[in-house]
Amino acid sequence: MKAVFYRQHGSAEVLEVGELAIPEPGPEQVLVRVAAAGVNPIDRRLRSGELQEYISRTFPVVPGWDFAGEIVALGTDVNSGWQAGDLVMGLAFTWSIQHGTYAEYVPVDAASIAKVPEGFDLFQAAALPLVSLTAWQSIHEYGGLAQGQSALIQAGAGGVGSVAIPMAKHLGARVYATCSTASMGYVSERGADVVIDYTQQDYAQVLCDLEPEGLDVILETLLGDGVPETAIGLAKDGGTVIFMNNEPPALSEIEARGIRTQFLHHRPDGAMLAELADLYGRGILPAPPVEVLPLAAAVEAHQRSEHGHTRGKIVLAIGD
C-alpha cells in the first residue's frame, strides 16, 4: 500500500512516501481503506520525538490518527453490526504507534469508529474525530460546562478551537476566545461572544476586566512558559482548567481555591463520536473548514502545522 512514514524522529523532512505492507486487523479491529486522513499537531510532535514517555513507536511509523474511509475487512471477534462497505470515520489512537492513517489502509478498533455524518463527504468527516472528541471530553465531560457559565477557548482558530467554540455555545455558555488579528472575523463566526486579539491585547488583563470573579471553564491549548500559571489565575474559585499541552502547574492555590485541573488526552470513543456525528449531520454543530492536500504534500502539511496559523483542519487525500 502507499503510505507516508518516518524511520527516525526529526523535522518534517524525515517523512517519506513509499510502499508498506497492508496491516492485518486484530480480532476486535476492522481494516479501513482510507480515503482521507486529518492532520493534527500531535502528528508532528510525535514525529519530532516528543512524548516518548507516554507513547512508544515501532519504526517505520505511519503518522496520523484521524481518518474516514470504507471498511474492507473485519476481525474475527467483531460482532457489533459493522460490515464491509460501511463508510466510517474514527480515531485510530493507540499507546504504541506504528500503523497510522497517512496510508491506504489502517487497522482500528471497532469500538472507535462511527458512521460518516449525514451529508458529509469523507474529507469533511476525516477532519472531525480527534478535535471533536478532544473538545467534547474537555468542556462537557470533564469540565461540565453548563447553561449560563463562562468559558475561555484558547487558539480559537485552530482545529480544537474551531469545534470547541460552537460546542460551548451549544451548551449555553458565554464564550471568550483568543486568536491573531487575521482570524478575528473567523473566530467570531464560529460563535465566540468575545474575541481577544492576543497580538494587540493582554488577553489575561482583558479577561480579568470582563470576568473579575474568573471563568468557569478554561480550555488551555497553548504551550509556553507561564501559560499554565496564567490559566489558573483566570479560573473562578471552584472552576475547571483543562490543559492540552501542559501538565497542571504545582501551585498551592489550585487546592486552596478548589480548582479542578486535568492534562487531558483524548480517548477513542465510537459511541460518543456517533452522538457528535448526529449533531454535525443535523447542523446543530458546524463542522470546521477543511483544506485538502494530496498525500504527497504531508511534509508541507506538517510544516504548516508547526507554524501554528492554520484555520480549521488540513486533510490529506489518500489515493488518486
Side-chain angles (χ1 to χ4, degrees):
M1 67 176 181
K2 182 186 295 183
V4 166
F5 53 89
Y6 54 95
R7 303 175 190 273
Q8 61 184 14
H9 296 128
S11 65
E13 286 74 16
V14 301
L15 295 175
E16 305 176 38
V17 180
E19 293 288 328
L20 294 175
I22 297 174
E24 294 286 337
E28 297 180 351
Q29 293 184 316
V30 297
L31 184 68
V32 175
R33 181 186 293 117
V34 181
V39 176
N40 296 288
I42 189 66
D43 301 343
R44 45 96 173 168
R45 293 187 66 192
L46 293 170
R47 183 217 69 227
S48 69
E50 295 183 45
L51 305 174
Q52 293 186 60
E53 65 272 34
Y54 300 109
I55 301 171
S56 63
R57 284 80 155 161
T58 300
F59 294 107
V61 172
V62 176
W65 285 339
D66 273 340
F67 73 90
E70 177 185 358
I71 295 177
V72 294
L74 288 77
T76 55
D77 294 344
V78 175
N79 55 9
S80 53
W82 295 113
Q83 57 187 355
D86 287 342
L87 296 180
V88 297
M89 62 181 185
L91 182 61
F93 169 78
T94 60
W95 290 104
S96 178
I97 59 173
Q98 181 178 21
H99 302 299
T101 59
Y102 295 15
E104 290 182 306
Y105 295 90
V106 65
V108 58
D109 291 346
S112 299
I113 60 176
K115 288 186 177 180
V116 169
E118 190 74 28
F120 277 53
D121 63 35
L122 294 176
F123 301 108
Q124 295 169 314
L128 298 177
L130 186 145
V131 293
S132 300
L133 291 170
T134 297
W136 195 247
Q137 290 167 9
S138 297
I139 64 175
H140 176 58
E141 186 177 62
Y142 182 78
L145 188 63
Q147 179 77 33
Q149 291 188 324
S150 58
L152 168 64
I153 310 297
Q154 291 275 40
V160 172
S162 290
V163 299
I165 291 169
M167 284 179 180
K169 290 303 297 179
H170 170 64
L171 293 169
R174 182 172 63 261
V175 181
Y176 300 87
T178 60
C179 65
S180 66
T181 306
S183 295
M184 290 192 69
Y186 167 75
V187 172
S188 180
E189 291 171 1
R190 299 306 291 174
D193 296 292
V194 178
V195 183
I196 303 169
D197 180 354
Y198 69 84
T199 70
Q200 302 295 323
Q201 298 171 285
D202 180 340
Y203 74 87
Q205 187 59 57
V206 172
L207 289 165
C208 286
D209 292 341
L210 294 173
E211 296 282 349
E213 294 185 4
L215 296 136
D216 291 291
V217 176
I218 296 173
L219 181 55
E220 183 52 86
T221 65
L222 302 182
L223 177 65
D225 293 339
V227 168
E229 292 79 7
T230 298
I232 297 301
L234 292 172
K236 179 180 293 185
D237 289 357
T240 302
V241 184
I242 304 107
F243 295 96
M244 295 288 98
N245 289 301
N246 298 283
E247 294 282 358
L251 297 176
S252 59
E253 69 173 288
I254 292 176
E255 182 176 358
R257 296 175 54 211
I259 298 171
R260 299 172 66 242
T261 63
Q262 179 73 33
F263 174 34
L264 190 142
H265 194 286
H266 52 261
R267 72 176 190 280
D269 188 327
M272 180 181 288
L273 188 57
E275 294 176 3
L276 294 170
D278 179 65
L279 295 177
Y280 284 118
R282 291 191 286 141
I284 294 172
L285 292 178
V290 171
E291 180 180 1
V292 180
L293 297 177
L295 181 62
V299 170
E300 176 190 346
H302 275 222
Q303 290 171 336
R304 289 172 59 180
S305 176
E306 287 166 357
H307 295 153
H309 295 295
T310 57
R311 290 185 188 177
K313 291 294 295 292
I314 295 175
V315 170
L316 297 176
I318 312 297
D320 300 325

